[in-house]
Amino acid sequence: MIYTLRRATIFVTAFITFSVLLITFLPRYLNPTPPDAEERKRDSQWVSTSPYWFDRQVCRYLGLCGIQHIRWDAPTLPGWGPDSDLDMTEEIAKVLGVGNWDEDEAAVFVNKPGTESWEHAPGHIDLKRKRSESSDTLQEVPQYVLDHAPLVHLYSGEHFWPSDIADHVAHMGLLDEEDGSVNRTDELDLGNLAKLNVKNGTVFLTSMDDVESRPEWLHNRAGIPIEYEDDGDDEHDGNPDKEIPGNNPTVPTDGNTWWDADKQHPPNRIAAPRYRKGGPSWRRKKRFLQGDDEPQRPIGGAPWDGDKNKPNRSGYSNGPAVLILVDKGAGILDAFWFFFYSYNLGQTVLGIRFGNHVGDWEHCMTRFDNGIPKAMFLSEHAGGKAYAWPALEKKTQPNGKPPRPVIYSAVGSHAMYATPGLHPYVLPFELLKDVTDRGPLWDPALNHYSYWYDYEVGLNETESPSSPQSPYLGNPSEPRKEYTSLVPAADNPKAPTSWFHFEGAWGDDVYSLADDRQWRLFGEYHYIVGPLGPKFKYLERRKVCQTDKCTLLWSIEAGEKSSWY
């Protein structure tokens, strides 16, 4: 009896000690940055939103919040997939390009009828690809940027596909803090979002629909890319599994500091650069000279051959990417490709889902030195990795064009990776991981908004909103400042720019503890806040990475061994 009691006492003591250590150190491990006084105040207010005394106490002292709400959070609701009662007619199949579903409920893609000509590609018509008289005064997108644009493998079992930011905004409203309702007293669109910056506090675009009802615009299954017409070329010709010859330095050793440069810190070069046609100085001189009715000639003096030079439409998605070009001076150009999804489905730990949010901005960035691609940054959650160009997987292109990099988007989170497979992060024992595979291949170069961004002007536009000279609040004694840092490229001269300057969140705020959809375990929320837009992704960066801590990876193997956190 005494022996049994002793063992029980030891077990209870060990369990309590383990629980205390878990409650104390796990949140710190998941979020190593300690909260400041303001964050602690907000957290206290959030906990107080629970109507239940017991829930509030358990949340404060044990870190277990809203445990009565925990349930399985499925990516889709019944009505989609192999067990669906939905009648997938021929018309729907034409729109989605879906022929069937496999055993994992992943779409099996078929060639869409009537898609032989790129001219019939579906897409939004309003703001893109319409040239006007003003287009001859705008800068075009250098051809080398498009020639080296990434090809993105979306996950084969993905449920939330690329979206058009215009469609997303059409389904968003503003939260009324008084009664918790979502309203659209003012019509919101890409051309007027920046007007919301005059409101006090952070503005959150909020879904007009309950996201757990899984409305179709959240999935945007029509954004599934058209099946890529593979010509049989080896997709692995980028030498992804071998080390780059040499000592694999963290920075280049040729004396050229392109990897850490901006207009105030031009790169050091041993020899004078050899400019390529289509390089920075070339694009400054060359403008559209032909009339609106004349087909645009390719940049760089390549011969025009009518249909032969029309882009192949395989890999097309009706969810346009956003291309933002940032000139860093001295021949350095950063090409940011932003990918937007209306929903981020978080990952599961022991069957419990964490990290959902409405609106999802991901990006990759290619740094060019006088038209030569040098490196690419891939965003992952709050960080990312930078790869030297030779390390990336490439796909051979026809007609003598240079091979293009192949990257991978993780299921649900859409984080960007250089390889398919499992990608554990933050938690040990692969408890939390992203998954990528060779699903539908998306070519964002076929459908995108394109812009030029002057980061020096942009930094002056983003003064603190509390400043009396802030462009967001305006100076009562002076006319309101205009946003001028972002300019459409010549291929879409009427593309809106106001959305870029919106400084609020592109999705719902953190749901309260009183909301049945919300829970928080050890500091990790089921639903987190929506993201800020591209303007706040450190476009002015000197280094290739999104953060100052930046290691340039010279092989895929090195990337698999490293982490951004």
Side-chain angles (χ1 to χ4, degrees), residues 106-123:
V108 176
F109 302 92
V110 297
N111 289 324
K112 294 184 181 180
T115 59
E116 289 75 21
S117 170
W118 73 281
E119 294 176 318
H120 302 294

Side-chain angles (χ1 to χ4, degrees), residues 459-540:
L459 290 175
N460 292 328
E461 290 175 340
T462 53
E463 300 171 19
S464 168
S466 62
S467 167
Q469 299 295 330
S470 171
Y472 302 128
L473 298 182
N475 187 336
S477 63
E478 296 179 1
R480 180 177 174 81
K481 294 183 179 179
E482 296 292 333
Y483 297 103
T484 59
S485 59
L486 190 76
V487 179
D491 64 329
N492 51 191
K494 293 185 179 181
T497 59
S498 179
W499 67 268
F500 176 80
H501 302 288
F502 171 57
E503 65 172 353
W506 280 74
D508 300 23
D509 193 3
V510 176
Y511 295 154
S512 74
L513 189 52
D515 195 314
D516 290 343
R517 298 170 293 182
Q518 184 67 292
W519 59 76
R520 186 181 76 182
L521 304 182
F522 307 116
E524 294 300 299
Y525 292 80
H526 180 212
Y527 281 94
I528 61 176
V529 66
L532 298 177
K535 190 173 185 178
F536 304 94
K537 303 299 183 183
Y538 199 19
L539 303 183
E540 69 273 16

Side-chain angles (χ1 to χ4, degrees), residues 186-188 192-199 480 483 498:
D186 296 322
E187 285 299 318
L188 302 178
N192 64 16
L193 273 189
K195 72 179 184 180
L196 299 177
N197 295 336
V198 301
K199 294 182 177 291
R480 180 177 174 81
Y483 297 103
S498 179

Side-chain angles (χ1 to χ4, degrees), residues 221-235:
R221 297 184 179 98
I224 299 174
I226 295 170
E227 185 177 19
Y228 198 91
E229 297 176 5
D230 200 336
D231 55 9
D233 291 341
D234 185 7
E235 196 169 349

Side-chain angles (χ1 to χ4, degrees), residues 171-175 182 204-209 505 507-509 511:
H171 291 90
M172 308 301 283
L174 300 180
L175 183 67
V182 181
F204 300 89
L205 296 182
T206 305
S207 172
M208 300 286 289
D209 302 301
D508 300 23
D509 193 3
Y511 295 154

